[in-house]
Amino acid sequence: MKENETDLLGLLTVVRAGVENAVPEAVWVRSEIASISVRRNGHCYMDLVQSEDGEVLAQSRAIIWAGLFRQLSLFFSSVTGSELSVGQQVLLLVKANYNPIYGFSLIVEDIDPEYTLGDAQRKRMETLERLRKEGLLDAQKKLSLPALPYRLAVISAPDAAGYRDFERHLKDNEYGFRFSTTLYPATMQGAACAESVAGALAQVAESGVKYDAVLILRGGGGQLDLSCFDEYVMCAAIAANPYPVLTAIGHDQDTHLCDMVSYAYVKTPTALADWFIDIYAREDTRLNGLRQRLRNVRLTRLALMQGRLDVLRARLNAADPRRLLEKGYVLAVGGNGRLLSSVTGVCAGDKVTVFFRDGKLRTTVESVEI
């Protein structure tokens, strides 16, 4: 046997001792969750990474044993409103562990959810400043929505409750208003959300269909679940879209960056359905008002015309020759059918018809005396 010769177990036992001596106590470690899996036995296994400019600088496996994982996951979700998931920045209390069979790993003993929230807020502020510098916050506000938006592109998960609620509320409205909606499916949570929504926005712009508006719908969720709606790639895609983009993310308190760059936003998908229905209802009320005003104007004009006709009828009745005959007067009509109001122009031998109340006489003029 050589002087520095040993077997594998012996070597790895030395390595384990070195690791345990180098890091004898638990330490707080900042990292990003690259993958996470909960086994049937309840143990949680994660891959933690540290990267910079897209390059991985460090990577390690981490384990949360089943008994502790139940406690930590409940604690984390109660503070953040979200489950532990890929892409999150976390601050973990870990103890270094080396096993000759399974290799190096970090055993998680605690988690600080406030760090995760703080990191998300820091990224949000950085993105907001970038959007402001690039002039993207007001780009959508320069667009105009048609007076009666009808053709709508909807970006949502096909099986999302918020999308189904929106469709049902919009199309079963009490007024019977009709809308056309086309779904562009997208992932609405997790690490793929921002890119997926941005891709759907690009599909809308490239579809060749002239939409009146684009709607981004999600039925709510925890604070971290919704953090993807603060990401730059989604916000920039909204700002660059040629159609007015309206968002309804389902949050009750916070306003996300995608809301700030959009044309308009409301809290929930159902509220957005009401927003469009109200546009039509207001226009319907306006048209009904105009219709009533036109009806009133027509009725007024008809009444005026009827009054004038009544006056003319009264004048005609007053000038009716039959009224004179009824009073005992007679009317003489010459042979040419013209009423005789004077003897001037009448000659002997002319035919004259004399009208009485109860009949007429046909006579011949024997002489004219003036």
Side-chain angles (χ1 to χ4, degrees):
M1 176 180 285
K2 296 183 179 179
E3 182 178 351
N4 61 346
E5 182 179 339
T6 184
D7 57 16
L8 179 60
L9 177 60
L11 174 62
L12 297 183
T13 300
V14 172
V15 172
R16 179 173 64 183
V19 169
E20 293 175 350
N21 290 333
V23 191
E25 298 180 353
V27 295
W28 288 98
V29 174
R30 301 184 302 273
S31 63
E32 177 185 338
I33 299 177
S35 69
I36 183 168
S37 173
V38 180
R39 305 289 174 82
R40 290 184 178 180
N41 56 15
H43 301 323
C44 176
Y45 292 86
M46 299 183 290
D47 285 321
L48 304 178
V49 297
Q50 178 180 344
S51 58
E52 184 176 320
D53 298 328
E55 180 182 356
V56 176
L57 304 179
Q59 181 172 348
S60 176
R61 185 176 70 155
I63 305 170
I64 311 178
W65 301 123
L68 183 59
F69 176 68
R70 286 191 292 271
Q71 301 174 30
L72 292 185
S73 61
L74 286 174
F75 172 54
F76 184 84
S77 62
S78 68
V79 175
T80 64
S82 174
E83 303 293 332
L84 286 167
S85 59
V86 173
Q88 291 174 346
Q89 294 290 330
V90 291
L91 180 59
L92 303 171
L93 181 64
V94 300
K95 192 167 186 179
N97 176 74
Y98 188 87
N99 184 288
I101 296 178
Y102 300 107
F104 182 81
S105 62
L106 297 173
I107 307 301
V108 178
E109 297 185 352
D110 202 355
I111 188 170
D112 182 1
E114 296 293 342
Y115 173 82
T116 304
L117 288 176
D119 181 74
Q121 182 62 21
R122 176 186 59 79
K123 289 181 178 178
R124 183 180 189 276
M125 296 306 296
E126 292 175 351
T127 301
L128 176 60
E129 184 60 24
R130 180 179 178 183
L131 293 170
R132 182 178 290 111
K133 287 183 177 179
E134 295 178 2
L136 298 180
L137 287 178
D138 299 322
Q140 275 279 312
K141 308 300 189 295
K142 298 175 183 177
L143 302 178
S144 59
L145 194 71
L148 291 175
Y150 166 76
R151 195 179 302 277
L152 310 175
V154 180
I155 297 175
S156 183
D159 57 348
Y163 168 64
R164 293 196 300 269
D165 290 344
F166 169 83
E167 283 284 305
R168 181 171 57 252
H169 200 74
L170 183 72
K171 296 185 177 179
D172 293 341
N173 66 84
E174 60 181 310
Y175 305 98
F177 299 143
R178 292 291 177 259
F179 298 89
S180 170
T181 60
T182 302
L183 177 65
Y184 288 80
T187 301
M188 302 306 288
Q189 65 180 22
C193 172
E195 290 285 355
S196 182
V197 172
L201 285 165
Q203 291 178 30
V204 172
E206 297 167 0
S207 67
V209 179
K210 185 173 177 55
Y211 289 103
D212 295 326
V214 183
L215 319 181
I216 299 177
L217 308 180
R218 192 190 191 283
Q223 189 170 350
L224 288 181
D225 285 337
L226 301 177
S227 62
C228 57
F229 295 96
D230 289 324
E231 292 193 26
Y232 174 83
V233 64
M234 183 190 299
C235 294
I238 291 174
N241 200 272
Y243 307 118
V245 178
L246 295 92
T247 57
I249 308 303
H251 46 76
D252 294 326
Q253 298 177 350
D254 297 331
T255 300
H256 291 279
L257 296 186
C258 69
D259 299 328
M260 298 175 66
V261 300
S262 66
Y263 177 85
Y265 73 94
V266 296
K267 293 296 185 181
T268 65
T270 300
L272 187 54
D274 283 332
W275 194 85
F276 282 99
I277 294 170
D278 287 345
I279 290 176
Y280 276 70
R282 288 193 298 270
E283 183 65 12
D284 189 56
T285 299
R286 188 184 73 85
L287 291 176
N288 283 335
L290 289 175
R291 188 179 298 112
Q292 185 61 41
R293 287 172 60 187
L294 288 172
R295 182 174 179 273
N296 292 339
V297 168
R298 289 181 62 184
L299 290 176
T300 300
R301 289 184 177 178
L302 287 173
L304 289 173
M305 293 173 66
Q306 184 64 46
R308 291 175 181 174
L309 286 174
D310 290 342
V311 171
L312 290 174
R313 186 177 294 110
R315 290 178 178 176
L316 288 173
N317 287 337
D320 190 343
R322 289 172 296 183
R323 295 293 182 89
L324 296 174
L325 297 178
E326 289 175 357
K327 293 180 180 181
Y329 295 98
V330 297
L331 297 175
V333 177
N336 58 4
R338 298 181 63 181
L339 182 66
L340 298 177
S341 58
S342 171
V343 297
T344 304
V346 179
C347 300
D350 288 348
K351 301 294 184 180
V352 174
T353 302
V354 181
F355 290 87
F356 296 84
R357 179 182 62 187
D358 56 352
K360 59 185 177 182
L361 296 176
R362 298 184 185 278
T363 63
T364 301
V365 178
E366 291 184 355
S367 63
V368 177
E369 297 179 1
I370 299 176

